[in-house]
Each structure stands twice: as structure tokens, then as C-alpha cells.
Amino acid sequence: MCLGIPGRIVAIVDEDAMLATVDVSGVRRAVDVVCVATPGRPLADLVGAWVLVHVGFAMSLIDEEEAAATLRVLAEIGEAEAELEAIRTGSVELPSPPVIPAAT
């Protein structure tokens, strides 16, 4: 599954390379903003904007409300992941999966 993670643009790193620093839940990374930049406008106009970040690119602009809702969903997924991890580590008994013979 491919996720876009909400982050806020906090600084422009390199105007020519179209790189900005994005804060994603307290982690700051350089991100390419070519997909969200407005031609003819300075990148500095993007500082403070919320974006969806995927594999090092800001893919789209979003509003703060959408960012907050997406972060809530991701937190819920994280809670689900913790429960799945409990299942993986044996905290919950599961039936044994069927044995599939190896192809020859």
C-alpha cells in the first residue's frame, strides 16, 4: 500500500532544485515540491502549507483540517498494527496455517 503522509512545509532548502524542508509529525526531511509549486511564484509562498508527502515528493496541497484527519487515521492504523504485532508475537492463539508443499 502506498501512503501519502501529511506534513507542513517549514522552510525552503534550495529554490533552484525545488527542495523544501517538511515537518512530518516532528521529523524534518528535504522534499521535492515541484508537484505543488505554482509556476511564476516564489517557493517561499509554500512555507506553512500542508502537503501529502510520498517517497520524497510533496504530491498535493491539502488543508490543515484534511491533514489532521489523515494523521488521526494513520494513528488508528498504528494502533491496529500494535494489535497485529501482538498476534505475530504469539500473545493470541491462532490456528496453524495449512502447509503448502514446495514446488518442485
Side-chain angles (χ1 to χ4, degrees):
M1 173 168 52
C2 298
L3 294 176
I5 308 296
R8 182 173 244 166
I9 297 174
V10 295
I12 302 305
V13 175
D14 185 334
E15 185 108 13
D16 293 330
M18 300 194 81
L19 293 175
T21 300
V22 175
D23 184 302
V24 178
S25 297
V27 177
R28 292 183 175 205
R29 297 279 188 252
V31 171
D32 189 309
V33 293
V34 70
C35 294
V36 298
T38 302
R41 300 204 51 187
L43 289 185
D45 288 354
L46 291 172
V47 173
W50 284 92
V51 292
L52 282 178
V53 178
H54 177 66
V55 294
F57 287 86
M59 301 304 294
S60 63
L61 292 167
I62 58 173
D63 62 34
E64 189 169 5
E65 193 174 304
E66 184 178 353
T70 303
L71 289 169
R72 276 193 302 277
V73 168
L74 292 174
E76 289 170 10
I77 290 171
E79 290 177 16
E81 285 298 317
E83 289 185 27
L84 290 171
E85 184 59 26
I87 291 170
R88 283 197 271 295
T89 60
S91 301
V92 176
E93 290 285 324
L94 293 177
S96 298
V99 175
I100 300 171
T104 55

